[in-house]
Structure formats: structure tokens, C-alpha cells
């Protein structure tokens, strides 16, 4: 997809947008078709070399955008998940939700910690309106709870274990998932939320002798490290005997200062809003629901009248975007500009392609007609091997006699394609155009618990 992104970045209309974003100029909605929004995001990410926050309306839309974003960017994606419990509902968040939210906060906190290594690739975060509204651990408290441990450092294991419990880690006999730690003599295992594997600290007295990342299934060392960053394992800090009774429901009681994801954003962050009017409508709906549920909970004596707001109103969040580069990808509540005003618009550089409703022979013939015109084609489909085979048969049967025919077939899934009107026309064709299929909604994958061998406590090295 790099060829398409390079063509987008070469557009004069895109260059104008880039200049406006770099100078933080206020501008109307871009009115981009939905299929063009993620490639524009990927282009801005490449040129700005700065963190990007994409805000959409609903949780399912955020998850779909996050999943599809992987087609355009290779890494540095974070889904700031939306917990299932409603505001004022005393229910625990899911483990996957906790980890996804913490991974986003940790990625951003690395910009503020003096001893942390800044990300080589700036992160891209995708969030729904409600996930942004949910109060979280204030940034200052989060940063104070982060600790760097290095080889040769002197610290007492008992002190470490107490501090880990305070920031949300649970002690276990064997570390099997993020948020757990274990102690066996002079060996401490810890799995922080941001890492894909746990680490093992070997102590000689009170000195950290080695730090190793290991495979929890085989217990074998994967990598030796010089240092690690230990971050909170939940979005609140608490100590005392009642700690086990607490949950994210108590965040507004434990941390009086309202905080959101926006407080963690570096100053150079670019904020992209999918469709402002739709996001605002969803936020208003969420607030209305919260007000009703609060009233019912107070009447049923399950919530005190002085319970603080567990969310930050959208109006306050929107004010918090002032001073940052903000781009609305759609039109929002504004009236669509007249045609003459759109002549230099970036939106006009993208068009819709023909649709074939599963009629494959006309589709292959259409491919032949557009490549004869010197236009480039990328076909992204879950049926790409089948379509590629039909295209080769079309060529081998003598039905296509074109030099340097370039039709690229990619096995993947996108919601919709487009025609890019650059110096050379590019056709991005998806299953939506070929078959009329909609992109399947991503499902939450169940985390597999590693099978541990009988020698689970053995201190093995590769």
C-alpha cells in the first residue's frame, strides 16, 4: 500500500492539508469518503511523525477502524477500549479492556517520563466518544507510580512486592497473564500490561543481578534486558485492607481530579475526528443515559447523592482539544460546501468504483479495460487467490495484450475501496465492490492461557 500512500502524499490538496495541520489552522470538515479516511490518517502519521488520536462515535466503530488500520500502518496502534459497565454501574471491567486501555496510557506516558525511552514510531490511538469520557487515573499519579528497574540496582524484593500490589499487580504462584507477579526465593517474575511476555528478576541479596524476558509456557529465556519499566496495572491506586473490594467504579472517589486520555497526549498530537456531529450526538446520548441511571440509583439507595461524576462531559473534553491540531474527516454538522468550493478539495481526489455484485466475468473484463488505459489496480479481497487466478486465465487466453500490466492482489479485508485521482489513476478494489460483501466485524479474541510444564519452577535459560 506504500505506492498508494505515496501518491496521496504527492497530491497538492494533501500538501495543503499537511501545511494547515502543521500550523494548527482551524479548518472545516474535509468531507472525505469513509474509505479514504484511514489512508489519509496513515499519510499524516508518516509526514507529521507525531502521535495521532482518532475519535469516532461508537465502540464497535472504534474496534472496526482499529482493526482495519492495520492494513495501512505496520505498528504502533492502540485501541483505547470502552468498558461494558454503564456509568454508575458497580461492575468490574473485563481483563482485555483493562489491558488495552493501559497499553494506550503507557505508550503516551513514555513521552512524559524522563527515564523512559520515547517510542521510535509515534502511537496511533483509536477511541470512541464514551471511552474518552470515562475518568481515568490522573497523569501525574500514573507517572509517579512508574518505576525503572535496572541491572545492578539495589532494592529490597519485599519493598518491590508491596509497591506492585499498590499499583494493581496481583501475587500468584505462577505468572500466567499480565498484571501478575510471583516470588520464589531470589527470583521475582513480573508481567507488565504493555509487554507481550513477562520478565524475571534474579537477585543477589538486594541487588538485581539479571533481568530476562521469558516464555511463560516453557520458562525459557527469550531475551536479556538491561532495564524494564514497571507501570500501573490498573487505572486507580489504592492501599489498605479494603483494597480487594475496590474496582474502576471507585475511580472518582479515589482520585478527585478528573482526568481523561486527553491529559496524556503530548502537545504535538494530531486529533482526527471521524464525524463531529455524530460523535457529539453519541456523547449527548451517553450523558442522558448516565443522568437517568444516576437518578434511579439514588432513588433505590444504591448510590449516594454526593457521588462524583464518573465521566467528563463532552463539552469539557472538546475544550481540552484547544491548542492541538484537530482535523474533522467528515462534514460534521456543517452544510456541504458548494461544488465550486470543492474544486481544490482533497475529497474530490477520491471517487467510487463500479460494483459487480459477484459477477466475476464482468469484473475481470473491467480490470482489463482500466489497465489498458494505463491505470493501476490493487485488489484487496479475502478471495484474492481465486480472483488472481481468474485474471491470469484472462491474460493467458489472449484476452489481454498490455505491456507492463500491473494488477496487485492482496489477501486482506477492507470495508470499501476508492479511485484515487492522482497523476496516475489508482483503483483500490475490495470485496465490497466485487461481491457486495461488508467487512466482517472484528471479534474479541479469547486470551489463551499458556500451558506450563511440570518443571514450571525450574530456572531455565536458553
Amino acid at each position: 500500500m506504500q505506492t498508494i500512500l505515496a501518491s496521496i502524499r504527492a497530491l497538492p490538496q494533501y500538501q495543503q492539508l499537511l501545511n494547515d495541520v502543521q500550523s494548527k489552522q482551524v479548518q472545516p470538515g474535509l468531507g472525505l469518503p469513509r474509505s479514504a479516511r484511514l489512508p489519509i490518517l496513515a499519510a499524516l502519521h508518516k509526514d507529521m511523525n507525531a502521535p495521532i488520536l482518532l475519535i469516532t462515535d461508537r465502540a464497535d466503530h472504534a474496534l472496526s477502524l482499529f482493526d482495519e488500520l492495520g492494513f495501512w500502518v505496520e505498528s504502533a496502534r492502540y485501541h483505547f477500549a470502552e468498558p461494558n459497565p454503564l456509568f454508575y454501574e458497580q461492575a468490574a471491567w473485563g481483563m482485555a479492556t483493562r489491558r488495552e486501555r493501559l497499553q494506550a496510557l503507557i505508550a503516551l506516558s513514555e513521552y512524559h517520563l524522563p527515564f523512559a525511552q520515547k517510542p521510535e514510531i509515534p502511537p496511533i490511538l483509536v477511541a470512541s466518544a464514551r471511552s474518552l469520557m470515562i475518568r481515568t487515573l490522573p497523569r501525574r499519579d500514573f507517572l509517579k507510580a512508574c518505576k525503572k528497574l535496572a541491572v545492578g540496582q539495589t532494592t529490597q524484593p519485599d519493598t518491590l512486592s508491596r509497591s506492585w500490589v499498590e499499583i494493581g499487580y496481583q501475587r500468584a504462584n505462577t505468572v500466567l497473564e499480565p498484571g501478575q507477579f510471583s516470588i520464589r526465593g531470589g527470583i521475582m517474575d513480573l508481567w507488565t500490561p504493555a509487554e507481550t511476555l513477562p520478565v524475571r528478576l534474579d537477585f543477589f541479596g538486594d541487588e538485581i543481578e539479571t533481568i530476562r524476558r521469558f516464555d511463560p509456557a516453557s520458562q525459557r529465556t527469550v531475551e536479556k534486558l538491561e532495564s524494564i519499566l514497571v507501570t500501573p496495572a490498573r487505572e486507580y491506586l489504592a492501599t489498605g485492607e479494603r483494597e480487594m473490594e475496590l474496582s474502576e467504579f471507585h475511580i472518582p472517589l479515589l482520585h478527585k481530579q478528573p482526568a481523561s486520555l486527553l491529559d496524556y497526549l503530548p502537545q504535538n498530537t494530531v486529533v482526527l475526528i471521524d464525524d463531529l456531529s455524530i460523535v457529539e450526538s453519541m456523547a449527548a446520548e451517553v450523558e442522558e443515559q448516565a443522568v437517568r441511571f444516576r437518578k434511579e440509583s439514588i432513588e433505590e439507595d444504591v448510590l449516594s447523592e454526593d457521588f462524583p461524576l464518573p465521566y467528563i462531559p463532552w463539552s469539557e473534553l472538546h475544550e481540552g482539544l484547544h491548542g492541538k491540531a484537530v482535523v474533522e474527516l467528515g462534514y460534521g454538522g456543517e452544510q456541504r460546501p458548494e461544488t465550486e468550493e470543492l474544486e481544490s478539495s482533497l475529497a474530490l481526489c477520491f471517487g467510487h468504483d463500479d460494483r459487480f455484485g459477484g459477477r466475476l466475468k464482468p469484473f475481470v473484463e473491467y480490470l482489463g479495460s482500466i489497465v489498458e488505459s494505463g491505470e493501476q489496480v490493487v485488489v484487496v479481497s479475502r478471495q484474492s487467490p481465486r480472483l488472481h487466478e481468474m485474471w491470469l486465465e484472462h491474460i493467458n487466453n489472449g484476452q489481454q495484450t498490455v505491456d507492463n500490466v500491473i494488477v496487485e492482489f492482496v489477501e486482506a479485508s477492507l470495508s470499501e475501496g476508492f479511485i484515487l485521482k492522482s497523476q496516475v489513476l489508482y483503483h483500490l478494489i475490495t470485496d465490497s465492490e466485487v461481491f457486495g460483501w461488508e467487512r466482517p466485524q472484528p471479534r474479541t479474541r479469547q486470551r489463551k492461557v499458556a500451558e506450563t510444564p511440570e518443571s514450571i519452577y525450574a530456572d531455565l535459560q536458553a
Side-chain angles (χ1 to χ4, degrees), residues 366-386:
Y366 175 71
L367 286 185
S369 67
I370 57 180
V371 297
E372 282 183 351
S373 301
E375 301 169 15
Q376 304 296 307
V377 183
V378 177
V379 180
V380 179
S381 171
R382 288 174 288 165
Q383 299 290 329
S384 64
R386 175 189 177 193

Side-chain angles (χ1 to χ4, degrees), residues 158-418:
D158 289 343
T159 302
L160 282 182
S161 64
R162 285 195 298 269
S163 66
W164 291 347
V165 170
E166 291 177 357
I167 61 176
Y169 289 88
Q170 295 181 345
R171 185 164 181 171
N173 292 328
T174 304
V175 171
L176 296 176
E177 62 182 21
Q180 293 181 338
F181 76 95
S182 67
I183 304 176
R184 302 188 307 278
I187 298 175
M188 300 185 73
D189 293 346
L190 176 72
W191 198 337
T192 61
E195 298 297 334
T196 56
L197 291 174
V199 294
R200 174 162 295 154
L201 286 73
D202 295 277
F203 281 82
F204 183 76
D206 289 343
E207 180 182 335
I208 301 176
E209 192 172 32
T210 61
I211 301 176
R212 293 174 283 139
R213 184 173 285 118
F214 69 95
D215 183 344
S218 66
Q219 295 292 294
R220 292 186 178 276
T221 297
V222 173
E223 179 185 10
K224 290 187 177 182
L225 307 172
E226 290 299 318
S227 64
I228 59 169
L229 177 64
V230 182
T231 61
R234 63 190 178 198
E235 292 182 49
Y236 64 92
L237 304 178
T239 58
E241 296 180 357
R242 297 189 57 202
E243 181 181 348
M244 299 301 295
E245 303 175 13
L246 301 175
S247 68
E248 290 84 2
F249 170 81
H250 300 92
I251 289 177
L253 295 174
L254 296 170
H255 303 282
K256 302 299 183 182
Q257 177 188 355
S260 73
L261 176 70
L262 300 186
D263 297 305
Y264 288 73
L265 298 179
Q267 191 59 37
N268 65 336
T269 302
V270 179
V271 179
L272 304 182
I273 303 178
D274 204 10
D275 287 288
L276 181 57
S277 64
I278 300 177
V279 169
E280 289 179 336
S281 296
M282 176 56 63
E285 182 179 327
V286 168
E287 290 189 54
E288 290 173 4
Q289 182 186 58
V291 170
R292 289 196 303 269
F293 193 47
R294 178 189 180 94
K295 181 180 178 182
E296 294 170 359
S297 300
I298 292 175
E299 291 174 351
E300 296 171 1
D301 290 330
V302 296
L303 187 74
S304 62
E305 293 187 9
D306 59 350
F307 192 92
L309 285 179
Y311 62 91
I312 300 176
W314 176 257
S315 58
E316 295 183 18
L317 288 176
H318 198 256
E319 289 179 3
L321 296 177
H322 292 166
K324 290 185 171 58
V326 180
V327 180
E328 184 184 356
L329 300 176
Y331 283 117
E334 301 173 5
Q335 185 177 359
R336 183 182 178 90
E338 299 296 333
T339 303
E340 56 270 17
E341 298 176 2
L342 283 170
E343 290 182 353
S344 61
S345 168
L346 182 59
L348 285 187
C349 297
F350 296 90
H352 297 286
D353 223 320
D354 292 354
R355 293 179 177 271
F356 298 91
R359 297 177 295 116
L360 298 185
K361 183 177 179 180
F363 166 67
V364 173
E365 292 174 348
Y366 175 71
L367 286 185
S369 67
I370 57 180
V371 297
E372 282 183 351
S373 301
E375 301 169 15
Q376 304 296 307
V377 183
V378 177
V379 180
V380 179
S381 171
R382 288 174 288 165
Q383 299 290 329
S384 64
R386 175 189 177 193
L387 297 177
H388 190 197
E389 182 179 353
M390 293 186 66
W391 171 245
L392 292 178
E393 289 178 358
H394 180 79
I395 296 177
N396 294 334
N397 289 337
Q399 300 177 38
Q400 189 70 33
T401 56
V402 179
D403 295 332
N404 300 321
V405 173
I406 299 178
V407 179
E408 182 180 358
F409 291 85
V410 180
E411 188 168 9
S413 182
L414 294 176
S415 59
E416 193 177 5
F418 55 75

Side-chain angles (χ1 to χ4, degrees), residues 4-75:
I4 293 181
L5 289 180
S7 298
I8 291 175
R9 295 167 62 199
L11 293 170
Q13 296 89 337
Y14 170 79
Q15 289 297 319
Q16 181 60 53
L17 170 65
L18 180 61
N19 292 334
D20 292 343
V21 174
Q22 290 173 336
S23 59
K24 298 184 180 179
Q25 291 186 21
V26 178
Q27 52 192 325
L30 299 181
L32 292 170
R34 294 196 174 277
S35 58
R37 298 181 184 184
L38 291 183
I40 290 296
L41 181 155
L44 288 173
H45 183 250
K46 180 76 172 180
D47 289 322
M48 294 290 295
N49 194 31
I52 290 182
L53 170 63
L54 174 60
I55 305 174
T56 191
D57 56 342
R58 304 201 316 255
D60 57 335
H61 288 168
L63 189 56
S64 294
L65 288 169
F66 169 77
D67 197 53
E68 190 169 329
L69 185 60
F71 182 82
W72 297 103
V73 296
E74 295 181 355
S75 59

Side-chain angles (χ1 to χ4, degrees), residues 423-454:
Q423 290 183 345
V424 176
L425 259 64
Y426 280 89
H427 295 255
L428 178 65
I429 302 177
T430 70
D431 286 326
S432 178
E433 289 79 29
V434 180
F435 299 102
W437 293 347
E438 290 187 359
R439 187 175 190 277
Q441 295 297 316
R443 297 179 180 178
T444 303
R445 299 176 178 84
Q446 293 185 350
R447 185 173 57 256
K448 294 182 180 180
V449 178
E451 296 290 339
T452 54
E454 294 180 359

